Amino acid sequence: MGRRLVPLTLDNLSDLPSRCRACVYWELDPVSGQDAVKAGTPHLEKEAWISAVLLDWGSCGRVVYVDEQPVGFVLYAPPAYVPRAMAFPTSPVSPDAVQLMTSWIAPGFQGQGLGRVIVQTVAKDLLRRGFKAIEAFGDARWEGPACLLPADHLLSVGFKTVRSHPSYPRLRLELRSTLSWKEDVEMAIDRLLGAVQKEPALRPL
């Protein structure tokens, strides 16, 4: 089974689930997000956000393919690009961290280690770009697929709670702690994903 993670661009944005392509929960502040939904333009706002981040900062996501079928994705960016982040009681995200906004894996492909591989791939990208950590707002009362990731899932892939909250704890993964297995990431990805598509060189920050 061939598996690969490919940088998210406007060209493969259509491979995300339709509800995610039209979701601007993270990309806009709450008021602007509601206005976009009322105007029927959230998908255009999503495209504009991805385009702006790609031009200004670089790669901000990955799409997961299994036998050329899109089965998952992840989005991440520095907190300055994520207006919704400031609306949480456990904000702000630390200035030395990139925010893991959201990720999703199709039900038929869960439980195969793809969640951990997504985190490893993001960690590898951010280590190369000089960042120290990944942070995320977890949902401690998660009941089903949503824009926030379950706190339990984040803890299971290596995140630690840095600010507790009964509903929305902020969690952090120190990239320095991944240095010990940095050399093993390639092998882990090869083992779990098969042949990995060569990534384009990133623009310097």
Side-chain angles (χ1 to χ4, degrees):
M1 190 161 55
R3 306 178 184 181
R4 61 193 179 105
L5 270 70
V6 177
L8 174 66
T9 67
L10 294 178
D11 293 333
N12 59 12
L13 178 59
S14 60
D15 286 341
L16 272 58
S18 58
R19 62 183 175 82
C20 299
R21 293 199 304 272
C23 176
V24 288
Y25 179 86
W26 290 111
E27 292 84 355
L28 299 177
D29 64 78
V31 173
S32 299
Q34 290 177 0
D35 290 345
V37 171
K38 289 178 182 177
T41 59
H43 60 293
L44 296 178
E45 296 286 354
K46 184 88 163 192
E47 290 182 7
W49 183 87
I50 291 174
S51 178
V53 177
L54 283 170
L55 288 171
D56 192 35
W57 183 66
S59 181
C60 58
R62 292 289 187 277
V63 183
V64 184
Y65 295 91
V66 174
D67 292 337
E68 303 307 315
Q69 174 188 351
V71 302
F73 74 94
V74 61
L75 277 176
Y76 54 95
Y81 295 96
V82 190
R84 171 73 68 156
M86 292 306 298
F88 284 83
T90 50
S91 65
V93 170
S94 302
D96 64 347
V98 166
Q99 183 181 343
L100 176 61
M101 297 159 61
T102 192
S103 67
W104 172 86
I105 297 173
F109 295 86
Q110 295 172 7
Q112 300 180 16
L114 287 175
R116 185 172 294 276
V117 171
I118 284 175
V119 171
Q120 289 179 338
T121 302
V122 174
K124 177 187 173 186
D125 178 28
L126 297 180
L127 276 169
R128 186 170 58 225
R129 297 163 80 171
F131 289 93
K132 293 183 177 180
I134 309 170
E135 292 191 2
F137 297 101
D139 186 349
R141 300 175 179 177
W142 191 85
E143 296 181 349
C147 298
L148 270 76
L149 295 171
D152 286 346
H153 168 71
L154 292 167
L155 291 169
S156 73
V157 295
F159 282 75
K160 306 293 183 185
T161 302
V162 291
R163 190 168 177 191
S164 298
H165 189 271
S167 298
Y168 305 118
R170 179 159 51 90
L171 302 99
R172 180 179 174 97
L173 178 65
E174 296 286 348
L175 298 182
R176 188 180 300 116
S177 68
T178 69
L179 289 174
S180 61
W181 52 256
K182 185 179 178 184
E183 291 78 11
D184 298 331
V185 171
E186 291 288 351
M187 285 195 303
I189 293 174
D190 285 344
R191 183 172 67 252
L192 292 168
L193 300 182
V196 178
Q197 185 183 54
K198 192 74 172 176
E199 296 181 3
L202 294 166
R203 295 190 302 110
L205 295 175

